[in-house]
Amino acid sequence: MDYSTHARIRDGDPSVFRELFAAHAPLVYRHAVRTTGDRSLAEDVVSLTFLEAWRLRHRLRDEGDGPRPWLMGIAVNVLRNTTRAARRHRAALARIPLRDTVPDFADEIVGRLTDTARLAAAQRALGRLRRADREVFTLCVWSGLEYTEAAAALGIPVGTVRSRLSRARTRLRALAQEELERPVPPTPAPPTPVPPSRVGAAGPGGESTEPARRNGQVPGGRTRVARSNEERTR
């Protein structure tokens, strides 16, 4: 095979990197979307993958049918790092006390999209697999890599790819069905706002909810103030 493309990548030829991006960015994006379920995060994964490819271009070796396994291996590592960072971010947010409840309309939208629901169930099922099995499954099944390409991307023997993929398929059939049948918890109703007409009405204990008067205001208005001044001068 002619490895001139590999040599141009190692040399940092900008034109060959443009060709590499045009040819493989859609594959990296689809793989990231299916793995994370987050389109915005998938776009970040694509950018980081090609930045890493540029930084690690000297490590590309003259073997295989092309740069795809090398590039997808970088994408797998980027996904590992971004997934860990996302978990830490979610854990940090969970420690922050909630203040205001904002209604979430996502469930209504997802309920209309069967494909989205199935993808979400598949992602939850994948999350219950061992990471090694999950990576083989997403590369071979969702991203369409050959066994040899997945082996090169992950740095493992082809036989290991086959055994992990078989185990992942068997386990996922049961897990995906469980996730699809799992009931979705109801979304709590947002708090009912107090209408303007209730301002000034009595509160639950009989106390008045009327706003306090500003400093200088006296009940009764000017007449009572005038009488008080007359009485003091008598």
Side-chain angles (χ1 to χ4, degrees):
M1 177 181 175
D2 182 9
Y3 291 110
S4 59
T5 299
H6 293 64
R8 291 171 62 196
I9 290 174
R10 287 193 296 268
D11 291 340
D13 186 342
S15 62
V16 77
F17 263 89
R18 284 194 294 268
E19 296 170 3
L20 186 71
F21 184 87
H24 299 292
L27 172 64
V28 175
Y29 177 76
R30 289 193 301 270
H31 181 75
V33 166
R34 289 167 172 170
T35 302
T36 66
D38 188 330
R39 296 181 183 276
S40 178
L41 180 58
E43 292 175 354
D44 294 339
V45 169
V46 173
S47 300
L48 291 172
T49 296
F50 282 91
L51 284 173
E52 281 293 284
W54 174 264
R55 188 177 69 86
L56 303 174
R57 62 188 183 277
H58 300 295
R59 298 185 183 181
L60 178 60
R61 294 177 292 181
D62 291 337
E63 58 184 27
D65 297 329
R68 187 167 78 160
W70 169 73
L71 190 63
M72 292 303 292
I74 294 174
V76 168
N77 286 328
V78 169
L79 278 165
R80 289 173 183 171
N81 295 333
T82 53
T83 301
R84 282 195 294 266
R87 282 200 300 266
R88 289 194 295 267
H89 180 67
R90 288 193 298 268
L93 290 179
R95 292 192 293 269
I96 300 176
L98 297 177
R99 293 184 177 180
D100 297 327
T101 302
V102 180
D104 185 5
F105 303 102
D107 289 341
E108 179 182 352
I109 298 172
V110 171
R112 300 176 185 176
L113 302 175
T114 303
D115 291 342
T116 302
R118 291 184 179 276
L119 177 59
Q123 287 164 351
R124 291 194 299 270
L126 277 173
R128 297 168 63 182
L129 291 179
R130 294 170 50 195
R131 189 182 73 179
D133 295 347
R134 181 170 62 248
E135 289 174 350
V136 168
F137 181 86
T138 54
L139 285 175
C140 292
V141 177
W142 278 359
S143 297
L145 267 66
E146 300 291 339
Y147 292 163
T148 54
E149 292 179 315
L154 298 173
I156 58 178
V158 175
T160 303
V161 171
R162 293 179 184 274
S163 62
R164 288 181 183 177
L165 181 59
S166 176
R167 184 169 58 236
R169 286 180 186 275
T170 302
R171 182 79 174 125
L172 272 177
R173 289 190 187 99
L175 292 178
Q177 190 62 34
E178 288 179 13
E179 292 294 341
L180 282 172
E181 295 174 354
R182 178 177 298 181
V184 178
T187 303
T192 304
V194 178
S197 60
R198 295 289 296 169
V199 176
E207 69 278 7
S208 174
T209 58
E210 183 178 359
R213 295 182 178 87
R214 297 179 181 176
N215 293 335
Q217 288 185 338
V218 180
R222 296 179 179 177
T223 303
R224 182 174 299 180
V225 174
R227 289 177 180 174
S228 299
N229 290 335
E230 291 175 357
E231 293 174 353
R232 283 198 298 269
T233 57
R234 289 177 183 177

